[in-house]
Amino acid sequence: MAPAPTVRRFFAPLALAAIGCVLMLAGGVAARSHCRADCKQAITDCLALVPSNEECTGTRAEKRACRKLHKAERKACRRLVKLCKQQNPSTVGICVPGASACTFLTKWGTPGSGNGQFDQPVGVATDPAGNVYVGESLFAGRIQKFDANGTFLTTWGSGGSGNGQFNGVKGIATDASGNVYVTDGSNRIQKFDGNGVFLTTWGSGGSGDGQFSGTVGVATDADGNVYVADYGHDRIQKFDGSGTFLTKWGSPGSSNGQFAMPYGVAVDGSGNVYVTETGNNRVQKFDGNGTFLTTWGTPGSGNGQFQSPLDVATDSSGNVFVADTSSNRIQKFDAEGTFLAAWGAYGTGDGQFAGPSGVTTDASGNLYVADQVNNRVQKFACP
């Protein structure tokens, strides 16, 4: 199957994570700190991540849409650095992390292409045995598998559009049987066993059922069904574990059941589906067939507000964790959207983040975060 050209780069929320000076404290206490110099560096880092227009491929219309998106990304970088300076006016001190609702346990990863190293990890998932799978985004086309403490086990994949290759991993999920589902920039889902043996693939560019304009977040339910965030079409598509199309929901907009750049998707133990939107800065909750149940979140830096939330995860207690990427923090809610806690700040220390883009939990209640720009995974114990 020849994948369609990638029309949208799905970059903007990741680049905006470089604006790391909007510091958050659980309980709503604002942290005032030295950030003007950091803000200046942040916009430099942000703009450096915007892809060149030369990378836009496809038809003339597709290239035009791609260039338009890149222009919007550069504008967003400049807009958020202004917010950074407004919220951090002091010229003395240092950036400090907020109080953490979860306890830091361990971390692993350094920049690079070797085993246990990362090139912008964006997706993370755990299997029933407690193994951790990490997908890398911009330049590395691979999945790495670790045990729960970060010991490297195996890896598979390379850059490309063939079976078992990846055009920049976007999302990763596992099912109850230990199979691994991966989305990439080729508008498709690939399915592997837990050791990386290729099983099947489905999807292509287009607007029909089973076609996509940007496969990003992916999740499974207890029955083995697969939910995919179709970013460019502002919808969710649902399949069985073999890729047979089952249903879809969503359209562009900001009303209940509509989406503006849906990115992350998660399913809880009751089969409810949670979707993060980078455009509307909110979380929406649905049943397994797409019936709207509730929503929460508005743009901003307060508790329960979001700035480009990329991923979402649930635990066995029904808690919902959201990677609030451009605020460099994790927020925790109950299943109805009641705010419980938040932690994180821009930085390289334990419990600090630089673009947290992927979150997942394990059966023991631990939380794993793909800390993209810091090229590492952090693990927390969450009550």
Side-chain angles (χ1 to χ4, degrees):
M1 177 182 64
T6 301
V7 179
R8 301 178 71 174
R9 298 287 300 185
F10 319 115
F11 153 80
L14 306 181
L16 300 185
I19 310 297
C21 299
V22 183
L23 300 179
M24 313 304 301
L25 291 179
V29 180
R32 295 298 183 181
S33 56
H34 167 70
C35 276
R36 287 215 181 254
D38 304 73
C39 290
K40 184 177 180 180
Q41 182 60 46
I43 191 172
T44 301
D45 295 342
C46 184
L47 291 171
L49 287 176
V50 179
S52 167
N53 285 341
E54 295 179 356
E55 298 184 33
C56 295
T57 59
T59 65
R60 179 179 299 178
E62 290 170 345
K63 291 179 180 178
R64 184 166 55 249
C66 179
R67 290 192 294 268
K68 183 177 180 181
L69 179 61
H70 292 174
K71 182 178 180 180
E73 289 163 352
R74 287 186 284 268
K75 183 177 180 181
C77 286
R78 296 184 176 92
R79 184 176 66 249
L80 283 188
V81 80
K82 182 178 180 180
L83 175 63
C84 173
K85 291 179 179 179
Q86 289 173 343
Q87 295 203 359
N88 299 276
S90 175
T91 58
V92 296
I94 58 171
C95 291
V96 295
S100 175
C102 292
T103 303
F104 173 83
L105 294 178
T106 190
K107 63 187 176 185
W108 66 89
T110 57
S113 58
N115 293 339
Q117 295 184 309
F118 298 115
D119 187 357
Q120 303 221 12
V122 295
V124 60
T126 59
D127 66 17
N131 298 306
V132 182
Y133 302 82
V134 182
E136 297 165 77
S137 175
L138 292 184
F139 306 109
R142 65 175 178 176
I143 303 297
Q144 294 193 69
K145 179 180 179 180
F146 304 86
D147 70 13
N149 295 313
T151 300
F152 174 81
L153 298 177
T154 191
T155 185
W156 70 89
S158 60
S161 57
N163 292 338
Q165 295 182 310
F166 304 107
N167 181 15
V169 174
K170 302 299 179 183
I172 184 170
T174 63
D175 63 20
S177 299
N179 297 307
V180 182
Y181 301 82
V182 183
T183 60
D184 70 3
S186 294
N187 289 305
R188 63 179 176 174
I189 298 93
Q190 293 190 73
K191 180 179 179 179
F192 305 86
D193 72 12
N195 293 313
V197 175
F198 175 81
L199 300 177
T200 190
T201 185
W202 68 91
S204 61
S207 58
D209 296 343
Q211 294 184 309
F212 304 96
S213 178
T215 48
V216 281
V218 58
T220 65
D221 64 20
D223 295 324
N225 297 310
V226 182
Y227 302 79
V228 182
D230 189 359
Y231 182 92
H233 289 140
D234 294 305
R235 64 184 179 181
I236 301 297
Q237 295 197 60
K238 178 180 178 180
F239 305 86
D240 70 15
S242 298
T244 301
F245 175 82
L246 299 177
T247 190
K248 63 185 177 186
W249 67 90
S251 61
S254 57
S255 299
N256 294 339
Q258 294 184 310
F259 299 111
M261 297 182 285
Y263 208 100
V265 59
V267 183
D268 66 19
S270 299
N272 299 308
V273 181
Y274 301 81
V275 182
T276 57
E277 298 173 71
T278 61
N280 285 328
N281 287 293
R282 65 179 178 178
V283 177
Q284 291 195 72
K285 179 181 178 180
F286 305 87
D287 70 15
N289 293 313
T291 300
F292 173 82
L293 298 177
T294 192
T295 186
W296 68 90
T298 57
S301 58
N303 294 334
Q305 295 183 309
F306 302 108
Q307 295 185 106
S308 299
L310 277 193
D311 203 13
V312 59
T314 63
D315 65 16
S316 58
S317 299
N319 297 307
V320 181
F321 300 87
V322 179
D324 191 5
T325 304
S326 290
S327 291
N328 291 296
R329 64 174 179 172
I330 306 298
Q331 294 197 64
K332 179 181 178 180
F333 304 87
D334 69 15
E336 301 305 316
T338 301
F339 174 83
L340 299 177
W343 69 96
Y346 180 67
T348 60
D350 297 343
Q352 294 182 315
F353 305 105
S357 55
V359 288
T360 193
T361 62
D362 64 19
S364 300
N366 299 307
L367 177 74
Y368 301 82
V369 181
D371 192 1
Q372 183 186 359
V373 181
N374 282 330
N375 288 298
R376 64 184 181 180
V377 172
Q378 295 194 64
K379 178 180 179 180
F380 301 86
C382 296

